[in-house]
Amino acid sequence: MPKDQTPNTASSEDEKAGPFQGIRLDSHLCFAIYKANHAFNRFYKPLMKELGLTYPQYITVLALLEKDDQRVSELGEILFLESNTLTPLLKRLEEMGMVRRKRSVDDERQVIVSLTDKGRSLAQGICEVQRCAVDHLDMSVADLERLAKDLAAVQKMLQKPVS
């Protein structure tokens, strides 16, 4: 081969691998949800601080405001939390005086979680947090409900086994 000619090889790593043919990162639904989740966490953090709660504590109290006296297993299903995460969270809420845990009289293996008066007193603050979020998002309640419904459908589809 003459000295001035070089073999026909790629000059960079990208060219060696060929052009990327997949979906770009910013077009991934999972990445959009990931970024939105982080944005929600940053948005909620100061609001939760005012309530004296973490976000997982907030959603736990909210679930109990919607339906009090729930079994720990029920609460875990609603919140998508495993018992090794939920139990310390409930213990902390109990130490804060927000909830009460007691064994079921029907089945002592079951633990029932109930809000205390102090926990129920958070209802107004939780409503304020929700109003603040709706106002900040600048979307109609109908659009927010539709988006939440669409995301719930995505979540449900992802729970199906891959075939």
Side-chain angles (χ1 to χ4, degrees), residues 20-116:
F20 178 67
Q21 298 296 315
I23 300 169
R24 296 189 52 78
L25 181 60
D26 280 341
S27 296
H28 273 264
L29 176 59
C30 58
F31 189 57
I33 292 169
Y34 173 82
K35 291 188 307 184
N37 180 55
H38 280 280
F40 267 112
N41 288 339
R42 285 189 300 275
F43 173 80
Y44 273 119
K45 192 169 187 166
L47 301 173
M48 295 298 107
K49 190 173 182 178
E50 286 182 33
L51 289 176
L53 299 173
T54 63
Y55 185 77
Q57 292 168 342
Y58 164 79
I59 61 173
T60 302
V61 171
L62 181 55
L64 289 167
L65 284 167
E66 290 178 7
K67 181 182 180 260
D68 206 359
D69 302 321
Q70 292 192 53
R71 293 186 325 272
V72 171
S73 56
E74 261 184 298
L75 207 47
E77 288 174 22
I78 290 166
L79 300 173
F80 286 87
L81 294 175
E82 299 292 329
S83 64
N84 62 346
T85 302
L86 187 56
T87 299
L89 189 155
L90 292 171
K91 185 177 180 185
R92 179 72 179 123
L93 284 171
E94 189 171 41
E95 289 168 358
M96 295 165 64
M98 303 293 179
V99 301
R100 177 177 40 256
R101 295 180 299 161
K102 63 181 179 193
R103 296 263 171 211
S104 169
V105 292
D106 298 330
D107 182 352
E108 287 192 11
R109 295 172 296 173
Q110 299 291 322
V111 175
I112 307 298
V113 183
S114 308
L115 285 171
T116 62

